[in-house]
Amino acid sequence: MKQITSQDVSELKTFIESHDFFFVAGHKEPDGDCIASCLAVASMLDYFSKPYQLLSAGPFKRNEIIKWKDRFSDTMIFQDSQERAKTGLIIVDCGELFRLGEIDGDLKGLDLFIIDHHKTSVPVEGVKSYINPLAPACSYLIQIFYEKIIGNVPKNIAEILFFGICTDTGFFRFLAEDSAPVFEAVSRLVSYGANPKITYNQINNGKPYSTRKLLGVLLQKAERYLEGRLVITYETMEETKKYGLEGRDSDALYQLMLSAKDVEAVVFLRQDTPLTCTGGFRSQDKIDVSVVAAKFGGGGHKNASGMSCNGKVETLIPQIVKEFARIM
């Protein structure tokens, strides 16, 4: 796995030291890794006594991250031109401005630093960044930066970083064979005070009862394609209204479907508005779902990606099947 070099560390430290104010942002529809990464970067800025604002377009759909919702805003504080000139924008768990979603304010033109681990993120010339597609979570990268720039991680931030790494790795189920450095890093987080048992319960327990009912509906509607190797299910606007948006548990859906014999990839679509959809893609080791997600304006990892695009479920499904047929 590519390691963070002293030059990488110096670039981030210099970026922090050379600005008077910061906006810290992650992708829309944040997950645990995104939120944890933002909060850990904020802790680094606290260490350097740098003021900041945490930005997120939301929505905060996942039950395990709702407790941090009030720390984020979807509206930038006002700055005049002189203040903007001294402001830095740090984007984590995301490589493109458009994936931040609808933030009320102008993020363009700010001095930018990107920290990401998604395969579909590509370094942009002139933009400061550290992008490592081999890293299992952005929180892992933030931990290494924190330790190399500041030192030992305080207990409350260690708990947050451990949480972020666990959410993106499926509590380490998705790690590759060369993951010794990751286990060494999380071992340090445990030594700082992170508790694996509490974190597991935080991620997996306390789901609203309605999500169990919705899971049954989605399983009932799941259909197999491409000789049973691809499974697709979907959620209508009426079902969203009935079961709500909070406490989603699509991870349980993916896990159940991927455990079925011969299933290599799973797609979950949701009709958000009459003309727009979001979707999640998961796969076993050999299928690169980011290739398909990119065709619909999305991206992510080889085995876990997402997308948001114009369209209706009934027309998107055959298009998605066609794209999967190219790679399966």
Side-chain angles (χ1 to χ4, degrees), residues 16-31:
I16 293 174
E17 293 176 334
S18 60
H19 295 85
D20 293 341
F21 185 87
F22 292 86
F23 293 110
V24 181
H27 57 78
K28 61 184 177 181
E29 295 198 21
D31 57 9

Side-chain angles (χ1 to χ4, degrees), residues 28-29 61 268-273 276-281 306-309 313 316:
K28 61 184 177 181
E29 295 198 21
K61 298 177 181 178
F268 166 47
L269 299 174
R270 184 176 62 247
Q271 191 77 50
D272 291 318
T273 74
T276 61
C277 285
T278 53
F281 301 74
M307 65 86 165
S308 179
C309 68
V313 166
L316 282 173

